[in-house]
Amino acid sequence: MSYKKYKFARAPHLRHSDKPSTMCADVLVALTPLCIFSAVYYGLRPVLLVLTGLGSAVLCETIGCLIMRRKPTVPDGSAAVTGAIIGLLVSPISPYWVPAAGAAFAILVVKMPMGGSGRNVFNPAAAGLSAVTLCFPGFFFRYPDPGTGLPLPLSNTVNVAVVPSPASQLASGGQTLYSPITLLLGGFPGPIGATAIIILIACALYLLIRRTISPHITLPYLAVCAALAYLFPRVTAGAAGSVMVELCSGYLLFCGIFILNDPVTAPRHWLGRIGYGVLAGVLVMLTRYFGRFEEGACFAVLLANAFATTLDRLGWYALNLRRIRRRRQS
Amino acid sequence: MDKTKDRPLSGTVGEVKTTFIDTLFTKNIVLVQAIGISPILAAGVTLKNGVVLTLCTAAVLIPASLFMSLLGERLPTWVRAPIYTVGAAAIMLAAAAFIDQIISHELYAALYVFLPLTAVNTLVSYRAGGFSMSQKPVIALTDAVVSSLGFGLVICIVSGLREIAAYGTLWEKPLNFSVVLSEAALPYAAFLLLGFMAAFLHWLNSVIDKRRGGPEI
């Protein structure tokens, strides 16, 4: 059989008329309110951090394309999304070079060597975050108190008081001090863009309506996380309280909406996507329960990425089992 | 696939040279054939470890390859693997005792489980049990030496870079670096380095092939 009659295309393989650039624009639009929300609590510093990550990713993508002598893939927006996601998941008091280094690692080590846009096996944003988490844990899990009402200093943040986040309280086995309402409204210490739970849910709905993210990944992922939090609570407030705190703390929800739904690294088949969501949910909760850090969602995503192709095939086999058997018999 | 088909069978200078270049660069044991990666990931953290593991590998691989090329085909198939494995284990036992008693106990403690593992490394079974069987002793010897050299080259580069990054030293001599990235000692850093080195070697090979006018890889 000649393969010449088939048209080869890079991922993301989209079924509807959207282009990669419109999808990335959608995601960037959804990320903007998170940035604005953070600016209300902490001043201009988080916005600058996000822009640093974004700028670094775009710069590295341009350099990578120049080295590979390819047409620049910056206009498709995937590098900008990667940089912005990394910028949104660092602490508001982290130095500016942290998101810049994460974005540079994501693009120059994870994305471009694999062949650039649409060919990467692992999610660049998750890999960049994992790298900076592993290399500089001291800068990563230190969060300022959002309740002070004062903007953070733009340059030196050494003197800013650090308070424990709900995720670290969970990891150390202590009682969490934040009520469900505070958790929903986002007035608790955490990464720049991952604390505004209500805004995150609104963003998820917007992206679902725009068909940029798939309910087949996000819903099973959140269901598994909630079920595990219900079955194995780490707080004394009971099972329901455990579900609330586990889902809202860290960047579990952000990860389920923005990182897991990356159309390049996620499976394409709907059953494979469900399996992918379930696997990622189990891995996220395992890294939280037994991991070295208070939040390990990015590591879990990388592990799940490795199984994406297998899950795709498994999903297809599971649905076509009868047909395959019949063909074998004949 | 018959791996021995395109291998030289006689021991002329030209063919020894081909084996040398083939095993060291074009088909580098670690970077192209992906064999013997585990000691590099786990124990290749300092240059000293790297050199010791290289010497141990050579000490096991050279006698095993020579033995298999001389006597391998006269032995029944089922007895070949046990013989070279037991032989390799005996050599490793002596080497481990030598390192522990005479060189330094700290070095032995640092390498601990990876010294005995060298004896059952896939590198030994693949080169001694697979390649050397149908080769003349000279070719088998060259291959064993160059395989150890290829392995050593990679583990020394990786462990040297990791030692500089993780501890700021090289061969335990401080280099006075202000930035120390202690996480470079984790296995993932070695995976990344190996990946980049493999890609570089692949690119180099394709460039050489193109110059020679051969097909592009």
Side-chain angles (χ1 to χ4, degrees), chain B residues 203-217:
Chain B
W203 172 78
L204 209 63
N205 282 336
S206 73
V207 166
I208 291 168
D209 271 16
K210 222 186 260 175
R211 283 233 177 119
R212 280 184 190 153
E216 202 178 324
I217 299 170

Side-chain angles (χ1 to χ4, degrees), chain A residues 49-253:
Chain A
L49 278 168
V50 175
L51 288 178
T52 313
L54 196 149
S56 166
V58 169
L59 186 69
C60 290
E61 176 110 350
T62 316
I63 294 171
C65 287
L66 284 177
I67 291 174
M68 291 160 77
R69 291 185 205 138
R70 289 233 179 101
K71 211 175 113 189
T73 44
V74 176
D76 74 5
S78 55
V81 168
T82 301
I85 287 175
I86 292 174
L88 279 166
L89 291 185
V90 297
S91 159
I93 54 167
S94 68
Y96 289 106
W97 55 262
V98 169
F105 182 90
I107 302 294
L108 291 180
V109 176
V110 182
K111 192 176 173 190
M112 298 317 276
M114 295 279 186
S117 260
R119 294 191 181 90
N120 46 310
V121 181
F122 297 99
N123 185 299
L129 273 173
S130 311
V132 282
T133 313
L134 275 172
C135 293
F136 319 108
F139 293 111
F140 219 74
F141 296 116
R142 292 170 75 249
Y143 300 116
D145 187 3
T148 56
L150 294 170
L152 291 170
L154 284 185
S155 55
N156 195 1
T157 52
V158 178
N159 298 324
V160 176
V162 177
V163 287
S165 67
S168 76
Q169 287 171 345
L170 279 173
S172 59
Q175 176 75 37
T176 51
L177 302 169
Y178 301 96
S179 67
I181 297 295
T182 322
L183 285 174
L184 273 182
L185 293 178
F188 63 94
I192 295 172
T195 51
I197 302 300
I198 287 192
I199 299 180
L200 271 174
I201 294 170
C203 289
L205 286 176
Y206 167 74
L207 292 174
L208 273 175
I209 292 167
R210 296 276 301 160
R211 292 174 73 189
T212 299
I213 69 170
S214 150
H216 294 132
I217 296 175
T218 309
L219 292 181
Y221 166 77
L222 292 177
V224 166
C225 289
L228 286 174
Y230 188 84
L231 291 174
F232 308 103
R234 289 192 288 177
V235 288
T236 44
S242 162
V243 173
M244 188 74 199
V245 184
E246 292 277 7
L247 288 191
C248 295
S249 65
Y251 47 81
L252 190 151
L253 191 62

Side-chain angles (χ1 to χ4, degrees), chain B residues 48-106:
Chain B
K48 213 170 211 175
N49 286 4
V51 171
V52 171
L53 281 174
T54 310
L55 291 178
C56 288
T57 309
V60 170
L61 190 59
I62 293 169
S65 277
L66 209 55
F67 177 81
M68 288 314 280
S69 85
L70 284 171
L71 296 172
E73 283 190 326
R74 290 185 209 163
L75 299 168
T77 321
W78 62 271
V79 91
R80 287 175 194 160
I83 281 188
Y84 66 70
T85 310
V86 170
I91 295 170
M92 263 341 287
L93 210 62
F98 179 76
I99 290 169
D100 186 20
Q101 302 292 326
I102 294 170
I103 299 181
S104 99
H105 181 69
E106 283 80 44

Side-chain angles (χ1 to χ4, degrees), chain B residues 4 13 21 25 53 55 104 140 165 175 192 196:
Chain B
T4 57
V13 179
I21 293 172
F25 294 112
L53 281 174
L55 291 178
S104 99
L175 295 173
L192 285 179
F196 274 100

